[in-house]
Amino acid sequence: NDASFYTKYTEKLSTHWQSFIDLQWRNVQYTIRGFRNTPSLHIKKEYAFLNPKAGLTYSNKKTQVYLSYGRAAKEPNRDDFEANLNEQPKAEKLNDFETGIEQKNEHYTWAVNLYYMSYQNQLVLTGKINDAGAYTRTNIPKSYRMGAELQAAATIVKWLKIEGNLTISR
């Protein structure tokens, strides 16, 4: 069972500045009464998450600069419970920091987005396969992702537009 509620509030602070706040509430309930090869596995878990996100944007003519912070949590998948019977999975938690700049005009656009994502209990692939052929995952206490996303497009002539993107991440 999965129930969620989402709301967003946007405020124009001045001619150039705008802010937003997102709130998501999720409640997930798992009831598992065994699997094919583990009929004795009985799980009754409930997860409740409040996932907030806030940001600020500065816009001036053809340029936009923004920054945001988001906190998110997610429950394990059903398969994660069966993967390791001795160690049941935990919910993932994420702190996401992003900032970027974008510039547009009638001939070209370009954008750069920088991000840092700090995880607690991230579920990552182990390289093993369970009896049903699915890949198994396990929790990692602390991990991160960071990188840059680059985008550009140029209109060469009215009927020809070149676009590209590049992501560099760790």
Side-chain angles (χ1 to χ4, degrees):
N1 295 316
D2 189 340
S4 66
F5 173 79
Y6 172 81
T7 187
K8 180 173 188 148
Y9 177 76
T10 303
E11 176 77 25
K12 188 168 178 86
L13 303 171
S14 70
T15 306
H16 301 290
W17 291 94
Q18 181 173 311
S19 66
F20 75 90
I21 296 175
D22 294 352
L23 288 175
Q24 180 200 38
W25 172 84
R26 285 189 67 225
N27 183 277
V28 179
Q29 298 173 350
Y30 273 118
T31 302
I32 299 171
R33 295 185 185 98
F35 290 97
R36 179 181 53 214
N37 290 338
T38 53
S40 63
L41 179 65
H42 291 263
I43 303 285
K44 188 165 180 80
K45 291 270 190 181
E46 182 172 355
Y47 300 93
F49 304 118
L50 181 62
N51 298 321
K53 185 175 180 180
L56 189 61
T57 302
Y58 173 81
S59 299
N60 188 4
K61 297 181 184 175
K62 299 171 184 172
T63 303
Q64 185 174 347
V65 180
Y66 57 89
L67 62 96
S68 69
Y69 166 75
R71 171 110 171 131
K74 185 181 180 305
E75 75 283 355
N77 295 333
R78 190 184 92 142
D79 292 344
D80 295 325
F81 288 100
E82 187 181 22
N84 187 349
L85 301 177
N86 299 325
E87 184 181 326
Q88 290 300 295
K90 300 174 187 139
E92 300 175 291
K93 294 179 181 155
L94 163 68
N95 290 298
D96 179 29
F97 303 88
E98 296 195 28
T99 187
I101 184 169
E102 179 179 44
Q103 191 168 54
K104 294 181 180 183
N105 70 27
E106 59 276 0
H107 301 292
Y108 68 86
T109 65
W110 62 268
V112 176
N113 183 60
L114 306 173
Y115 61 90
Y116 178 78
M117 303 163 77
S118 173
Y119 290 89
Q120 180 183 359
N121 294 320
Q122 182 182 19
L123 282 159
V124 298
L125 294 171
T126 64
K128 298 177 184 175
I129 299 175
N130 68 15
D131 66 309
Y135 295 105
T136 63
R137 302 187 309 167
T138 190
N139 289 108
I140 301 298
K142 290 188 177 197
S143 60
Y144 73 93
R145 290 182 187 173
M146 63 185 277
E149 299 167 329
L150 313 170
Q151 299 176 354
T155 302
I156 307 304
V157 291
K158 195 173 191 175
W159 53 270
L160 180 60
K161 184 176 185 180
I162 296 174
E163 297 182 25
N165 60 56
L166 173 68
T167 299
I168 302 165
S169 65
R170 178 180 187 144

